[in-house]
Structure formats: structure tokens, C-alpha cells
Amino acid sequence: MQGLDIYNRAMNLLGYTGENGGPSNGEALAMRGKELINQLLCDFGDYHIEFLSDEISVSKEVFDALCCGTAMLISLAEGDAGKNAVFAQLYEAKRAKALSSVSIIEDRLPKEYMG
């Protein structure tokens, strides 16, 4: 996937599609999209993109979190407080899921032997 995929999905989630539904400064946001995505990529490791067309190799869970996080930052930049609050909660939940890991702890206590 590319950074542009994340940006476009975030815009669709926000409903900022088409001329009537788009943000007031859509072109300026697209130019800042790389920086918004890079800010979020810091949460998930040492990832960085130079252009929105750069490939990003992340899991599906991280991709979902990045889309919601980008939507959160775009709505913040647009002053859309209602959508920002919703996407902030979604981002936190998806981020927690993406960063969680399951591990098994094996019992290693010494055993008492009769003898």
C-alpha cells in the first residue's frame, strides 16, 4: 500500500469527497498529507515516507489505525470537532489493537522431587 491509499481512505471516511463534501483547502491538505501520515507512523516503529506515492509495508491492523489517525488529524486541521472526537477514539482503539501482542508465559518454577 501507499501513503496515498491511507490519505484517500481517510478522506472517504470523513466524507470529504467531491466538490460539495470536500474540505475548504483540499489541495493544501493533500500536500500536508505526507507529514500527517509520517507523524502517525512514529507510533508504529521506524517508518517514514518521502512522498505519498511511497510504499508502506505494515499489517492490516496498522493500516486501519493509520487511516483513522489520518482522518483524526485532517478533521483537527479543518476544525471539525465532532468528527475529530470520533476519529480520536477510533484511532486510540485501533492503535491499541495494532500494538498489542499475545504471548504465552510458560511455568518455569522448579518442581519438588521426592527421593
Side-chain angles (χ1 to χ4, degrees):
M1 88 200 62
Q2 298 177 338
L4 188 59
D5 297 329
I6 295 168
Y7 178 77
N8 287 336
R9 183 162 176 214
M11 293 295 280
N12 286 331
L13 287 171
L14 288 166
Y16 294 165
T17 56
E19 290 183 24
N20 295 334
S24 58
N25 56 351
E27 289 182 23
L29 270 177
M31 294 177 82
R32 290 187 300 173
K34 173 188 73 109
E35 296 305 322
L36 297 175
I37 293 169
N38 278 334
Q39 183 67 37
L40 296 167
L41 283 171
C42 293
D43 276 351
F44 299 101
D46 193 21
Y47 297 107
H48 181 79
I49 58 172
E50 292 295 323
F51 303 100
L52 283 177
S53 60
D54 288 354
E55 289 290 325
I56 305 171
S57 298
V58 293
S59 67
K60 181 186 177 301
E61 290 83 11
V62 172
F63 176 76
D64 287 342
L66 288 171
C67 292
C68 287
T70 303
M72 173 189 69
L73 293 176
I74 290 171
S75 62
L76 179 66
E78 287 298 302
D80 195 342
K83 288 181 182 178
N84 180 260
V86 169
F87 282 103
Q89 290 178 344
L90 283 172
Y91 174 66
E92 287 301 318
K94 290 183 180 279
R95 178 183 178 272
K97 181 181 177 186
L99 293 176
S100 68
S101 63
V102 177
S103 60
I104 298 172
I105 300 173
E106 187 176 328
D107 185 7
R108 293 285 189 178
L109 294 174
K111 297 183 178 181
E112 182 178 48
Y113 291 103
M114 303 280 298

